[in-house]
Amino acid sequence: MEQFTKAAIVYGRRCKKKIPKAIAAKKRLEQINSEITIEGIVEDVHGLNIAELIKGHSVVVDATDNFETSLIVNDAVVKLGIPFIFGACVGSYGLTLPIIPGETPCLHCLLNHLPMDGMTCDTVGVISPIVQVTAAYQITQLLRLLSGELLSPILQSVDIWKSENAEINVTKLKNIHCPTCGEHPSYPFLQFENQMKTDVLCGRDAVQLRPGLSQTYSLVDLLKNVKHQVTNPVLNPYLLSCQFEDYRIVFFKDGRAIIHGTNETKTARAIYSRFIQYY
């Protein structure tokens, strides 16, 4: 519990001083080891800047907090030929997978096979021990890779609450038609038109979000899935309007949404990510 307490103290101070997490983490890690050089970058990762952020590095370790960003990173590392240590956790469940461009399946190959069941940290939370375990697996894979060991594409899953562990060799899931690592890659998550667009609506204290990939969604199904999280829902053939905490959200059939009650795109994205899994 000592490490958890220290982490809470660090981020508690960060919140009080309004210091970005990247800078708070940099300062804390430099206190632990003053002989290392750390660059803290306060920036939103997207398809237009990810290559610049990771180029020239020996390996990329996933510590993102949403799957959309992981897919953007996946496209970039495959395109640049940089090994990628994927990791994700939600609830008491964690996943890790080493991705070696040109050799192993990439994250896009596994999109329909990852057993996360649409859960997110926003909807079910995450307990600290699984974060530590997932990170430990990732760092072990990192050390093995940097020491020259060849890593197999083993998907490691852990449910620390149920004391369950599984290892799956995903070699056969490599897809020659994968748009990221297949024979004719297009790197869809690096394409501007395929990325989430956000617009602050002038004078309305609201943010509009537009998914990059156009689809038609069922608002009836959406309401069934989110009714336990929202209040005052209003559904018609064109939109679903509802209240979530201090925000009013309007969902449209094409995946668009308007988040009323904020002009912060980061806040709007976080709220949208909470509900988009139910679309």
Side-chain angles (χ1 to χ4, degrees), residues 64-212:
T64 61
D65 60 1
N66 66 86
F67 198 60
E68 178 187 358
T69 303
S70 294
L71 289 169
I72 291 173
V73 176
N74 177 73
D75 269 18
V77 295
V78 172
K79 185 175 183 179
L80 296 175
I82 302 173
F84 179 37
I85 310 297
F86 167 72
C89 50
V90 62
S92 61
Y93 185 77
L95 287 173
T96 61
L97 174 70
I99 296 170
I100 312 299
E103 299 179 19
T104 69
C106 76
L107 193 56
H108 203 150
C109 292
L110 274 63
L111 267 183
N112 296 323
H113 303 280
L114 293 176
M116 299 300 281
D117 297 327
M119 298 185 297
T120 70
C121 292
D122 279 334
T123 57
V124 301
V126 62
I127 60 174
S128 295
I130 192 58
V131 177
Q132 315 301 321
V133 170
T134 302
Y137 275 115
Q138 286 181 282
I139 297 305
T140 301
Q141 292 170 346
L142 171 65
L143 294 174
R144 291 172 60 195
L145 182 68
L146 294 178
S147 66
E149 186 174 336
L150 297 178
L151 299 182
S152 299
I154 302 296
L155 179 66
Q156 176 81 46
S157 67
V158 179
D159 191 322
I160 200 168
W161 194 269
K162 298 179 180 178
S163 298
E164 295 178 350
N165 294 268
E167 292 185 356
I168 304 172
N169 190 315
V170 297
T171 299
K172 293 183 178 180
L173 294 181
K174 187 170 177 58
N175 181 6
I176 62 172
H177 302 297
C178 174
T180 296
C181 70
E183 294 180 346
H184 304 287
S186 59
Y187 309 109
F189 293 96
L190 298 183
Q191 305 300 322
F192 179 74
E193 61 270 18
N194 291 336
Q195 295 179 44
M196 175 70 69
K197 313 297 191 306
T198 56
D199 298 297
V200 178
L201 303 182
C202 183
R204 294 176 56 183
D205 193 29
V207 177
Q208 177 175 252
L209 301 102
R210 292 168 290 138

